[in-house]
Each structure stands twice: as structure tokens, then as C-alpha cells.
Amino acid sequence: NFNISIMEKRKLNILFIATEYPSKKCPKFNNFGGQGSYLQNIANLLKKEKHEVSVYIVSNKFLNTIENGIKIRQFGFKINIPLLSKFSNFINYILISFYMTLKIYSENKKKKFDIIQYPSFINFGVILFFPNNCKKICRISGITKLWREYNNQNRNLIHIVSDFFEKRRVQQAYKVFAPSKIISNKASLEYSKKIYTLVSPLSIINKNIINMKKKKIKEKYLLYVGTLNRVKGTDLLANAILKTFKKHKYISLIISGRNDNLERNKNSIDYVIKKCKKFESRIRYLGVLPKKEVYNLYSNAEAIIIPSRLDNYPNVMIESILFKKPIIGFLNSSLDEVINHGKTGFLGDKQNSEYL
């Protein structure tokens, strides 16, 4: 909802605050999710329009670099206090808050930031202050309270404090948006603020990559790409693929992505393998892969599975569309805002393994 005529008249100085960003010089941050992919796409698009773009990342080390003309700065302290190991991350984030805020103010003094965009969720302990002369835009990257509910996590004191600051970040923004209607509606209720819907830009994938010669994979497989946890429907996937294996002899499952816990002390991939023990040879977990390898997997896949209980206009969906692959998922997860059931994919009415 920012006046587009301003962007047409002059070039803007834009700062993004992030918790992840894919960078060649930050290999750890190649283990990124949807927020990282979105930021990379939008930063490159803005840079292409000659705007000045900076990205400040909450990290565990300091690093300054420039990629494609985008200034990338990591902030982080390696704090390790033996007797207070549980508080090391928290102390790190408090120090990051102080140092990053100083840097924002000093850079703003040299050249004013026209827009500062930050996510609704930032690591607990990160409390940032922004100059009053900048337009503050908040992107709803997820509703933490809902995420905990979907993951069956109990609310503790840290969560209560974290939820307070998350709501405060959203309410103090000049404008707030989310990539999907379902998240916008839920966030409006949760944060008592008008939330706009602004879909993520299509991934910038060179046509040559989409049309590149495929590395042939002989097997017929379904593909899952993304973080593995309960919100993303890993447990539903495990139960559904077990029934699929029993019914179809020649189909397998390939998984690429970050392996989070399904619930407390329950590893997601271990859960899938244990559930499908008899068909373990038909499951391949490849971990987090470089984009080019993921694109090759898209090219050869029969279909892409996105079994999320709730999602925020996922990048995997956008990329699957570019590769003209059918998507399998659920209604009321945000996929139904884009996927046409029976034409561009298949969406189950109810969020359970039977419908998947």
C-alpha cells in the first residue's frame, strides 16, 4: 500500500531485517527457508529497478559482503558461558539488538532509509529500534502462537514475553502485509491490526534452467521440498505415503529440506522412516540441496507434495508452478488461493492422511 508513484519518481534506499538469507559467503545460511528465498527474490527485483538494497541478518557471527549489488551484513556474537549455557543465545541476541540498532541509526544518518522492512517473528531477545523518519513495513512471516498450537507445544513464560514483543512489532509498523489471504485474516484477528495481502514474487529462475537438459532419474517419484515438522504436515505425509507404497509398487519418495523435530525429541525423518520401515528403500532423504539440484528434482518428479496444515504462500508452490508440476496438498492451507483442484493440482477437503 506504499504509494507506487514515489518509487517511480526516485530511487529508494531500502533495508531488510532478516533471520535468514541465502548467500554464497554464508554457507550456514544456505540452510534457509521461505523467508530467505522471498528476500533474495525481492531484493534482486528491487536492485534491478536501481533501488539501493541492504540486508541485515541476525546471525552468530559478523560478516560484511556485497552480492549482485546488494549489501549483506551479518550480526552475531559467539557467547559461550559454561554455567549459563542456556542463556548464551539470549545474551547473543541482546548484544545483536544493541549493535544492529546503532548501525541502523548511523547508516540512516549518512543516507536515510526510505523503507525498513522486518519480519513479524525475530529470535527471542532481539529488540530493535528504528529511526522515526523511516517508513516501517512488517511482513508476517508466520504467527508464532499458531505455529506452537499446530506443533502441540505448551505456552511458557518465554513464549508469553515473545508473543508480546511480536504483537508490538506488528502494531508499531506503518503498514503490515502477509503473502496469503488466510494468514492475513488470522493475523488481523491475532494482532488487532489491518493486514494487507501482498503475494510473493515469482522466483527468479532463468528460462535456461527450466528448459535445461535434465539429469535423468530412472525411478518414478513424488517430491517433498522444505522444512520437515508438524506444521508442514510431515506426520500426514508419512501416513499417506505408507498407503501409497502399498498400493503402487513403482513409486518412491524423495525428500529435500531441513530436518526439524516433529514434536519434542521426535526427529521428523526418523518418524517417516520408522512409519514406512517395510518400504525404507523407496524413501530418499537428501538434506538441504543447492537450488540447481532441487530444480533438477522438480523437472523429473511426477508431482510435488505440500501437505502443510497452514502455509504462507510457499516458495515450493511457486517453483512447482514454474516447472509445470501438479501439487498435492490441502484446502484451507493457502494452496487453494493459487491451485485449481483437478487442473494444476489436487487438494484434499480435510487435513488428514486419508485425504492426502
Side-chain angles (χ1 to χ4, degrees), residues 42-53 67-71:
I42 200 73
N44 280 306
L45 284 168
L46 288 166
K47 193 63 194 173
K48 201 175 177 183
E49 295 298 318
K50 310 296 183 190
H51 297 292
E52 202 166 322
V53 182
E67 290 181 16
N68 300 326
I70 297 160
K71 298 171 190 172

Side-chain angles (χ1 to χ4, degrees), residues 17-19 56-59 62 74-77 79 88-106 122-131 165 168-169:
I17 309 293
T19 55
Y56 287 5
I57 308 164
V58 175
S59 177
F62 284 94
Q74 280 185 234
F75 294 80
F77 296 85
I79 305 295
S88 294
N89 280 341
F90 179 73
I91 295 167
N92 178 37
Y93 295 139
I94 291 290
L95 291 171
I96 287 172
S97 302
F98 178 72
Y99 192 74
M100 192 185 281
T101 297
L102 283 178
K103 200 67 190 170
I104 291 168
Y105 273 84
S106 67
I122 306 178
N123 310 63
F124 181 67
V126 178
I127 304 167
L128 299 172
F129 298 91
F130 303 119
F165 282 111
R168 187 169 171 268
R169 271 192 294 274

Side-chain angles (χ1 to χ4, degrees), residues 132-166:
N132 290 326
N133 62 344
C134 308
K135 293 288 186 189
K136 297 182 282 292
I137 308 292
C138 179
R139 180 181 187 264
I140 304 290
S141 49
I143 304 168
T144 313
K145 191 177 173 183
L146 272 181
W147 185 88
R148 284 198 307 271
E149 286 173 13
Y150 279 107
N151 269 318
N152 291 334
Q153 287 186 5
N154 295 322
R155 200 175 184 215
N156 59 33
L157 182 60
I158 290 175
H159 294 149
I160 292 169
V161 176
S162 181
D163 289 347
F164 168 79
F165 282 111
E166 185 171 316

Side-chain angles (χ1 to χ4, degrees), residues 185-198:
N185 294 336
K186 287 179 182 291
S188 290
L189 293 171
E190 183 64 34
Y191 302 126
S192 307
K193 189 175 175 81
K194 169 73 177 173
I195 312 290
Y196 296 88
T197 302
L198 185 65

